[in-house]
Amino acid sequence: MVGFLEWNASRRQADSAHRRLVAAMVDNNELRVTRTEELTALIGRKYPLVSERIERMRESLQDVFLREHAVSLDSLREQPKKDIRHYLETLGGIPPYVASQVLLLSFGGHALPVDDKTAFLLIEEGVVPEGAEIRQITSYLERQVKASNAVEAHMKLRAWAD
């Protein structure tokens, strides 16, 4: 859930929205079945990309539910990282940023999440060429940063983008 809230939003906005959702929802299954209008009211209509964000979040949760018969990724714990990455990247509605963040923070995979805002800043600073797509930027960063440094690099990129 946090990855969806951080995607193309600031950490402060995500933290605030997360607190409101946690206070109102029993679990992720309730989030999955709650109407979009109710979630929009909880998060706030001025939240960046609020409608798209909620629809994508609900679509991904629904896809997990259909695959797992629960709103849980526990079945992935013993899977190879490559299989986990594929599973996450093929979830309906999931942005590459969210798939990478879940892989990195929940499963210890080698990933560096990049959203539109971070991509724009990396291009503006000349780190990556103009016109580079998010998947290209992510791939480039993953080749530059060791897996053991990925969490720290992600946190620093988030802070820099904010």
Side-chain angles (χ1 to χ4, degrees):
M1 175 181 3
V2 173
F4 274 101
L5 295 172
E6 284 185 358
W7 168 65
N8 290 328
S10 73
R11 184 68 181 231
R12 195 177 96 225
Q13 289 170 313
D15 289 344
S16 177
H18 185 253
R19 280 193 302 276
R20 288 192 298 273
L21 286 175
V22 167
M25 300 285 126
V26 173
D27 58 18
N28 286 335
N29 191 54
E30 185 177 4
L31 183 63
R32 176 182 70 88
V33 298
T34 300
R35 292 177 336 123
T36 300
E37 298 78 24
E38 292 176 53
L39 294 173
T40 300
L42 280 171
I43 292 174
R45 297 191 191 296
K46 293 183 180 180
Y47 200 90
L49 304 169
V50 69
S51 296
E52 179 182 356
R53 182 179 313 278
I54 290 169
E55 288 303 319
R56 284 174 170 264
M57 187 178 347
R58 291 182 66 232
E59 182 180 350
S60 292
L61 290 170
Q62 180 66 18
D63 198 358
V64 169
F65 181 78
L66 292 173
R67 293 181 191 193
E68 305 296 325
H69 307 289
V71 184
S72 170
L73 297 175
D74 288 341
S75 70
L76 301 179
R77 295 262 174 238
E78 302 303 317
Q79 299 294 317
K81 302 296 189 257
K82 183 178 179 181
D83 293 347
I84 296 170
R85 180 185 293 268
H86 176 74
Y87 182 103
L88 294 169
E89 288 176 347
T90 60
L91 282 173
I94 197 164
Y97 176 89
V98 178
S100 290
Q101 190 191 57
V102 172
L103 177 64
L104 175 66
L105 300 179
S106 297
F107 296 101
H110 185 202
L112 279 161
V114 175
D115 60 8
D116 296 325
K117 184 167 99 173
T118 307
F120 173 80
L121 292 170
L122 289 168
I123 291 168
E124 190 175 72
E125 291 295 321
V127 175
V128 294
E130 193 167 326
E133 295 179 10
I134 287 182
R135 290 197 190 277
Q136 294 169 317
I137 295 169
T138 299
S139 178
Y140 171 77
L141 291 175
E142 288 172 4
R143 288 190 308 274
Q144 305 308 309
V145 177
K146 293 180 183 179
S148 60
N149 297 330
V151 172
E152 180 182 0
H154 168 58
M155 296 304 174
K156 287 182 178 182
L157 273 174
R158 284 298 306 161
W160 176 66
D162 279 349

